[in-house]
Amino acid sequence: MPEGPELHLAAKFITAIGQRTLFGGQVVKSAVSTKNPDVEWNKEVYRVRANSRGKELKVVVTEGESEVKGGASLSILFRFGMSGSFKYTPVSELPKHAHLQFYTINEPIPMVLSFVDYRRFGRWEVEGEWGADRGPDPIWEYQAFRSNVMENLKLSAFNRPICEAMLNQKFFNGIGNYLRAEILYRCGVRPFDEAREVLSELKPFSKWYETQVKQEDVKNIVKQEDVQKIVVKQEDNKEIVKQEDVKENIVKQEDVKENIVKQEDVKENIVKQEGNKKSVKESKVKPDLLDLCHILPKEVVGLEGGGKGYNVDPDANEEEYAAFRMQVQEIR
DNA sequence: CGTCCACGTCTAC
DNA sequence: TAGACCTGGACGG
């Protein structure tokens, strides 16, 4: 499933668990996982935490009950492929396709944190570094992300339709098939316009982001957008997002100047254009395509847009944590 | 039963 | 720039 936001949620999930839970023993690899390396790690007690960058996630294990200077540690870099996820379950309910397993100690019930990946397209590398061929994270390194695109528009990577260029992880690390479709849809850019042409029109520094930083008004802008944005359910989402649909439906556009997108077959998902124009006027600063590469993933993660999403507050109390754990034993 | 489809890379021609 | 790499769910006959 995983695009940038899901990797980020997975990292938060792992870290939240790691703050409460002691792990111990070996890191176990499933017998069927032959392409991925063994993880040489066997400590009586260790901690886990994780962080993510685009479509990569790093798990760090450190020896002992608390992180001590000079203590042994090891990091594992994951790419999730099409179906990777982390799950936290009782050992007695070890998920099918759990290809790498971290076992707890001292929990009421023995628990296991697993990298689950039924298609096995996912990869991990021991002590792997962030992919040198992958760009900055649009959520957490927005300025760097934007410059990386704007300063490289001359490259042949931008010689292609914007919808293809947006899957290039060298520039759009964390953007996948679903996000690129949603982003294009939201900013009314025709998917098959040349990337260079679309992007050359943008400012090197985001007007939207400047406004965001300066004024605390931002919330209002975001709110306004939220009000008339249609929350597309995952199922409906798939409808729009299929490549074929993109081709067939988004290609027809009439009033380019006003960014009016006519999508004919995407019945349930048409945002009324009137509403759109209105919002553009009211909010003055309309997020551009690159802004949306920042905003949309952020919304998915639940940092914006009304407190939806998993509440993985590391400082939550035990009760909240228990509830959270029951609710979300899986984050993709 | 069968065919198609899936939030992603990889590498071989 | 096609396949290859995988499992399994949805849906058709």
Side-chain angles (χ1 to χ4, degrees):
Chain A
M1 100 160 271
E3 299 182 27
E6 290 83 3
L7 279 270
H8 171 70
L9 284 174
K12 272 176 91 170
F13 179 65
I14 292 163
T15 298
I17 289 163
Q19 285 182 359
R20 328 247 157 188
T21 312
L22 294 176
F23 289 77
Q26 310 216 36
V27 175
V28 177
K29 189 178 80 168
S30 75
V32 70
S33 181
T34 52
K35 293 181 181 172
N36 285 309
D38 291 330
V39 177
E40 305 278 325
W41 179 263
N42 187 358
K43 305 292 178 191
E44 295 267 315
V45 184
Y46 68 92
R47 291 270 185 191
V48 303
R49 62 189 156 83
N51 57 315
S52 72
R53 177 177 181 267
K55 266 181 242 175
E56 294 180 318
L57 176 148
K58 220 185 258 186
V59 170
V60 181
V61 293
T62 56
E63 184 175 16
E65 294 197 16
S66 56
E67 295 204 17
V68 189
K69 51 184 189 241
S73 82
L74 185 76
S75 75
I76 309 161
L77 182 76
F78 289 86
R79 263 157 276 126
F80 280 21
M82 292 285 275
S83 56
S85 67
F86 273 86
K87 293 185 184 179
Y88 186 65
T89 63
V91 172
S92 59
E93 296 164 33
L94 183 71
K96 203 177 174 187
H97 309 295
H99 296 304
L100 200 63
Q101 305 146 26
F102 306 78
Y103 288 88
T104 67
I105 53 175
N106 296 344
E107 288 294 286
I109 308 169
M111 299 290 283
V112 56
L113 177 66
S114 318
F115 177 64
V116 180
D117 180 17
Y118 69 89
R119 295 182 74 180
R120 271 182 284 145
F121 292 172
R123 294 282 123 94
W124 68 78
E125 298 163 30
V126 176
E127 298 291 351
E129 249 319 309
W130 302 123
D133 44 351
R134 313 184 72 108
D137 188 307
I139 304 183
W140 307 110
E141 313 168 76
Y142 180 51
Q143 306 279 20
F145 157 76
R146 192 175 178 102
S147 332
N148 187 41
V149 171
M150 296 308 286
E151 290 166 16
N152 288 295
L153 290 180
K154 56 179 182 306
L155 301 186
S156 62
F158 299 98
N159 266 346
R160 353 174 26 77
I162 183 67
C163 65
E164 288 176 27
M166 286 178 75
L167 295 178
N168 184 340
Q169 302 297 296
K170 180 143 191 163
F171 299 102
F172 296 89
N173 193 4
I175 304 299
N177 192 30
Y178 285 5
L179 276 172
R180 64 110 183 240
E182 193 63 23
I183 290 164
L184 288 169
Y185 177 62
R186 279 241 212 147
C187 60
V189 165
R190 293 174 298 174
F192 291 91
D193 279 2
E194 191 197 33
R196 182 175 299 104
E197 292 191 355
V198 171
L199 295 166
S200 297
E201 291 172 18
L202 308 187
K203 308 248 172 17
F205 295 99
S206 162
K207 260 295 177 215
W208 173 85
Y209 195 73
E210 284 168 21
T211 316
Q212 176 89 308
V213 172
K214 276 180 198 158
Q215 306 174 2
E216 179 50 43
D217 270 3
V218 194
K219 294 255 159 136
N220 296 331
I221 297 172
V222 176
K223 278 273 163 56
Q224 284 176 15
E225 299 249 318
D226 283 350
V227 170
Q228 29 96 3
K229 124 192 137 200
I230 291 181
V231 180
V232 183
K233 298 198 177 89
Q234 195 77 348
E235 288 72 27
D236 302 337
N237 212 355
K238 284 179 183 165
E239 286 293 312
I240 324 176
V241 171
K242 286 194 226 159
Q243 180 84 23
E244 294 77 8
D245 292 347
V246 172
K247 280 186 190 150
E248 287 167 22
N249 298 322
I250 310 190
V251 174
K252 293 192 179 174
Q253 266 191 17
E254 276 151 20
D255 202 334
V256 182
K257 292 162 202 164
E258 295 194 64
N259 267 339
I260 295 179
V261 183
K262 277 213 170 164
Q263 299 191 352
E264 287 174 351
D265 256 6
V266 194
K267 308 151 206 160
E268 310 95 10
N269 298 299
I270 293 176
V271 176
K272 284 277 155 45
Q273 204 58 40
E274 290 77 17
N276 241 349
K277 277 186 197 161
K278 204 174 169 191
S279 93
V280 171
K281 275 185 191 162
E282 284 170 9
S283 62
K284 284 181 183 141
V285 185
K286 183 189 175 192
D288 61 31
L289 187 147
L290 293 177
D291 292 330
L292 287 167
C293 291
H294 171 79
I295 296 167
L296 261 158
K298 223 168 159 179
E299 286 178 3
V300 173
V301 164
L303 298 181
E304 302 283 352
K308 269 260 176 77
Y310 309 101
N311 192 4
V312 196
D313 180 3
D315 298 322
N317 64 37
E318 278 306 323
E319 207 172 323
E320 289 168 328
Y321 178 65
F324 149 75
R325 193 163 46 179
M326 296 303 290
Q327 187 188 13
V328 202
Q329 287 196 337
E330 164 191 10
I331 298 217
R332 294 183 288 178

